[in-house]
Amino acid sequence: MTTEIENWVSEIASLTKPDNIRWIDGSEQDELNALLVERGTFTPLNPEKRPNSFLARTNPADVARVEERTFICSEREQDAGPTNNWFEPKAMREKLQGLFDGSMRGRTMYVIPFSMGPIGSDQARYGIEVTDSAYVVSSMMIMTRVSSKVLDEIAAGAEWVPAVHSVGAPLAEGEQDVAWPCNPDVHVVQFPETKEIWSFGSGYGGNSLLGKKAMSLRIGSTMARDEGWLAEHMLLIRITNPEGKQFNVAAAFPSACGKTNLAMLKPSLPGYKVETIGDDITWIAKSSSGKLKAINPEYGLFGVAPGTGPDTNQHALDSMKENAVFTNVALTDDGDVWWEGLSEPPAHLTDWKGNDWTPESGELAAHPNSRFCVPMEQAPTVAPDWDRAEGFELDAILFGGRRATNVPLVTESRDWNHGVFMGATIASEQTAAAEGPVGQLRRDPFAMLPFCGYNMADYWNHWLNIGNQVSNPPKIFQVNWFRKDENGKIMWPGFSENTRVVDWIIGRLENKNKGQATPIGRIPANGELNIEGLGLDDETMQKIMDVDSDSWMAETEMIEAFFDGFGLALPPEMTRQLHWLRSQLELQREAELVKS
Ligand code: GTP
Ligand code: SPV
Ligand code: MN
């Protein structure tokens, strides 16, 4: 152990004033789970139904990431950019000193050494999280590699990210604890220059499991900028096609927009195989062969429960048969879990708030952002070599979002720079993964809006540079599973049937499909997308693929307004791409006029 870490731990302890300090080495899972049961944070599930599994119910006010309370504290406001909440670092430090002063009183402070990426790999990065939440420790042991070996790596000179977490609910002498302690004054704070994380108030998900969004994306993206790699909100899969050829694909979709589902895709076309490497975060570096290579820095899955059922994602269900922690799902009368989309609703449940529930209750039994948490290794689709240190060379990158209108099922970019424009202009209807108005359309570039640790415009520039530094970058596509008809019904069957889109994309990589040029990129030519047996008529397919010049012209206005917010930081290439798109839309409009 280094004295640097010891000094830091005692410094944090003298600020937060816990009763005890406990160093975690990764062997404590069972002990902590038992403690969480004793305290009432965990309800053990029926071991005959689901061995070694638990249900946690949070405080109903602590159920999702809180983006309004997430701060990037760079020295200069310009370095956080217009899409982040910036706060002056010195003022924030003072604020944090106040919040954390005595915040762990009456509790144990756990010290968790963790690694994002295989320990010892040159792509791995280390962190130490201190927390007063046993739930966080137990979850971190699933989601990251928690081990005292991390301390050895640090002692041997590796860098590490200090991450401080407190639920902000000190206990007075003799005070009875609650099942889910938290504090409404949530602060999730990143200092990109000193690579520090401070999180106060929330015990939930990305707010408190600091290896995830805070380190792997917010701090990760700034490390990546400085060191010449990419830290992304992406799933990572290896696809084997019917000819036995393998393709590695990463995909960025905003929160609750389908990453975990695509990561565990159960192919609907014969001869295809999809193996899971990662479902939420991908770190990408330049490989020696002129390609980009990727790893999943995480160690577990923290997936959205609602909507996960035998018809949508059987593989995900298989991953959570045992050793699973569920948060904010409903409890069945026989001690198992339930959520909307799992099966026909049972006659009686205990809902996520702990109340009696029947189908007549008129409320959701599970919170829309309820989650399951399991080790990666439990995914039945996990690639046997998923955590190999050398990573996986990327053949394609997909960008997507929830778009009821405008965006076709699949579009191929013309080249890398156009692909970066596609990523930069992704918009998506908001989901329950974050506090805020569900369903409202917002720009979510690269699905990184809540996760980019620096100026988004500089991040686009970094993307442009990385692609142009390698000789064989992956091809970039945009997908949209969520286009709706005039009755508000999603037209594309999605889930397993997304295999058909994957099939077309691989056909493009192999140069077997030609596609059809449109102003926004190449879409499948007539007959190229295999829709055999789906029962989709021509009119519906036409609507799923349609590129409408008028509504796209309106979209360019929105894109321009969004770009304007970045001022001089906007890479000129983005403006060039926008002009090109407009000129192509003009041409299509003229052609349509001639035709009519
Ligand atoms: P985060 O973990 O928040 O980053 O979410 P994610 O991107 O991994 O999303 P996930 O795969 O968990 O899916 C979120 C929701 O979208 C679930 O309710 C899914 O059932 C639903 N979903 C996923 N894929 C599809 C699809 O192809 N079609 C439709 N209609 N819904 C989908
Ligand atoms: C997301 O919101 O993108 C998630 C869940 O993956 S959380 O871990 O809370 O960030
Ligand atoms: Mn996510």
Side-chain angles (χ1 to χ4, degrees), residues 121-139:
S121 152
D122 60 352
Q123 268 189 278
R125 295 291 180 275
Y126 308 114
I128 307 214
E129 176 165 352
V130 299
T131 178
D132 53 8
S133 161
Y135 169 88
V136 167
V137 185
S138 176
S139 303

Side-chain angles (χ1 to χ4, degrees), residues 64-65 204-207 209 212-213 233 254-256 259 280 302 369 371 433-434 451:
R65 285 184 296 99
Y204 198 67
N207 297 333
L209 313 179
K212 205 171 175 50
K213 300 299 166 49
H233 191 204
S255 302
K259 286 183 301 302
D280 197 54
F302 185 66
N369 190 39
R371 301 261 167 178
F451 308 124

Side-chain angles (χ1 to χ4, degrees), residues 12-34:
I12 301 302
S14 57
L15 173 65
T16 59
K17 306 178 180 67
D19 280 6
N20 310 294
I21 299 177
R22 174 88 189 266
W23 291 77
I24 296 295
D25 67 16
S27 66
E28 303 86 348
Q29 186 97 58
D30 293 342
E31 180 202 333
L32 284 168
N33 291 350

